[in-house]
């Protein structure tokens, strides 16, 4: 299918609000025009092409002489120009949804993982707004559909999303410690895990008995957990065998939510803190 024909079909058959459709159409048309100018195949490209498009078309006035080359540039953008960062994240959402639609129509094998290009800045500086029951169901469906086609770290990402719904905020998730991870049996006979998140001074911290869904995600993740660097005991391991930064849970939560037409343009957005405020049930354990 022609890329522009897909755009028209996707927007016409979807459930996006009219204002969102206009914004997404402008984003995708701009991206496709850039691909034509640069000789990039819009069905076969790399994350570096999306970064170059964002840099050349939108971010250069905000980054000055600094290239858009990774987390440092995103952090600078979010810190110094939060409104530009919000618009940038919306464009990443536009591409995520567009290529998800392409994958669903079997035009491409899988939607690209663009989570590394997301600044993660909240679109609205307000207190976290918990998800209503339908939004929570939509997010759980999005997590269930988050697989290797979306991210090479899909097992880690799914675990992070479920940990948020346990009531753990990002700062606690990134400090979860393998030394304080124990299998337990609940009163109903369910096999789950107990975890603890030490504070910055290595105090053991609050005990969390995980729900069965999170425990199942943890069992899937553990055999695929990256080898940690020497002396690193963190549960969630990132590049180089080290832990992940506290901004990562928010990035991945927003990327997962971006695959759901129910949640992609929620205001306030679906963030890690919003999930922790929501919980699996109506009265989550505060973290």
């Amino acid at each position: 299918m022609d890329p522009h024909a897909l755009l028209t079909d996707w927007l016409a058959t979807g459930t996006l609000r009219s204002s969102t459709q206009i914004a997404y159409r402008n984003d995708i048309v701009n991206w496709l025009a850039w691909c034509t100018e640069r000789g990039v195949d819009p069905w076969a490209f790399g994350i570096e092409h999306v970064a170059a498009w964002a840099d050349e078309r939108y971010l250069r006035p905000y980054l000055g002489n600094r290239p858009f080359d990774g987390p440092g540039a995103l952090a600078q953008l979010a810190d110094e120009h939060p409104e530009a960062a919000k618009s940038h994240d919306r464009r990443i959402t536009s591409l995520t949804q567009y290529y998800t639609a392409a994958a669903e129509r079997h035009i491409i094998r899988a939607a690209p993982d663009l989570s590394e290009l997301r600044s993660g800045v909240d679109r609205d500086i307000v207190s976290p707004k918990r998800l209503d029951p339908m939004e929570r169901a939509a997010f759980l469906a999005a997590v269930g559909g988050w697989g290797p086609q979306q991210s090479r770290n899909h097992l880690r990402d799914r675990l992070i999303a479920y940990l948020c719904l346990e009531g753990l905020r990002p700062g606690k998730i990134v400090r979860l410690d393998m030394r304080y991870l124990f299998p337990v049996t609940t009163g109903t006979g369910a096999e789950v895990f107990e975890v603890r998140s030490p504070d910055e001074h290595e105090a053991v911290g609050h005990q969390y008995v995980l729900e069965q869904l999170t425990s199942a995600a943890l069992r899937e993740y553990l055999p695929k957990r990256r080898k940690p660097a020497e002396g690193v005991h963190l549960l969630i391991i990132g590049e180089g065998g080290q832990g992940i930064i506290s901004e990562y849970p928010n990035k991945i939560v927003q990327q997962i939510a971006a695959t759901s037409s129910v949640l992609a343009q929620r205001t306030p957005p679906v963030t890690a803190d919003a999930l922790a405020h929501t919980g699996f049930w109506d009265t989550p354990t505060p973290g």
Side-chain angles (χ1 to χ4, degrees), residues 104-126:
E104 290 171 349
R105 289 161 173 79
H106 305 292
I107 299 170
I108 58 176
R109 185 183 63 82
D113 176 11
L114 302 178
S115 58
E116 294 301 318
L117 295 182
R118 187 178 293 275
S119 75
V121 68
D122 289 353
R123 291 194 299 270
D124 297 274
I125 308 303
V126 296

Side-chain angles (χ1 to χ4, degrees), residues 14 16 31-32 60-61 68 92 111 121 135 146 156 160 229 272 285:
L16 297 172
W31 159 248
L32 294 177
R60 185 62 15 228
F68 181 44
I92 298 303
V121 68
E135 291 172 334
W146 190 257
R156 184 182 71 188
I160 288 171
T285 301

Side-chain angles (χ1 to χ4, degrees), residues 27-265:
D27 294 339
I28 302 305
V29 166
N30 192 300
W31 159 248
L32 294 177
W34 183 90
C35 288
T36 298
E37 292 173 9
R38 297 294 186 274
V40 174
D41 183 349
W43 298 139
F45 62 91
I47 191 173
E48 69 276 9
H49 295 114
V50 179
W53 165 68
D55 190 358
E56 294 174 17
R57 290 296 181 93
Y58 300 104
L59 302 182
R60 185 62 15 228
Y62 303 102
L63 294 176
N65 294 326
R66 178 169 192 166
F68 181 44
D69 58 0
L74 283 169
Q76 177 181 323
L77 185 70
D79 182 53
E80 298 179 3
H81 305 283
E83 292 304 318
K86 294 173 192 176
S87 296
H88 167 75
D89 283 358
R90 189 212 64 230
R91 288 188 287 271
I92 298 303
T93 296
S94 300
L95 264 64
T96 296
Q97 293 235 338
Y98 174 73
Y99 283 107
T100 297
E104 290 171 349
R105 289 161 173 79
H106 305 292
I107 299 170
I108 58 176
R109 185 183 63 82
D113 176 11
L114 302 178
S115 58
E116 294 301 318
L117 295 182
R118 187 178 293 275
S119 75
V121 68
D122 289 353
R123 291 194 299 270
D124 297 274
I125 308 303
V126 296
S127 298
K129 178 184 176 184
R130 67 187 303 175
L131 278 63
D132 64 31
M134 181 55 68
E135 291 172 334
R136 179 167 48 198
F139 186 79
L140 286 169
V143 176
W146 190 257
Q149 297 84 3
Q150 287 74 35
S151 170
R152 65 182 183 276
N153 297 310
H154 63 284
L155 296 176
R156 184 182 71 188
D157 297 342
R158 288 170 59 189
L159 175 59
I160 288 171
Y162 290 139
L163 287 168
C164 289
L165 284 166
E166 294 281 354
L168 279 75
R169 298 181 68 179
K172 289 186 177 293
I173 290 172
V174 301
R175 292 200 300 269
L176 288 172
D177 195 307
M178 289 290 293
R179 294 171 295 180
Y180 307 110
L181 172 66
F182 306 102
V184 297
T185 303
T186 68
T188 61
E191 299 291 334
V192 297
F193 286 95
E194 172 189 304
V195 296
R196 292 178 183 268
S197 178
D199 63 20
E200 296 176 355
H201 304 288
E202 292 295 315
V204 173
H206 182 77
Q207 169 185 310
Y208 296 87
V209 178
L210 303 181
E211 297 285 351
Q212 294 183 55
L213 193 59
T214 311
S215 295
L218 179 54
R219 287 191 195 94
E220 289 185 84
Y221 163 73
L222 286 175
K224 302 295 184 180
R225 175 175 173 262
R226 292 183 176 182
K227 182 179 179 180
E230 185 176 356
V232 174
H233 304 287
L234 298 170
L235 172 62
I236 307 297
I237 297 295
E239 300 293 336
Q242 301 296 327
I244 59 173
I245 59 175
S246 59
E247 290 81 8
Y248 184 80
N250 202 43
K251 285 186 179 184
I252 199 59
V253 162
Q254 290 189 12
Q255 188 75 358
I256 293 172
T259 65
S260 168
S261 60
V262 175
L263 302 173
Q265 288 301 304

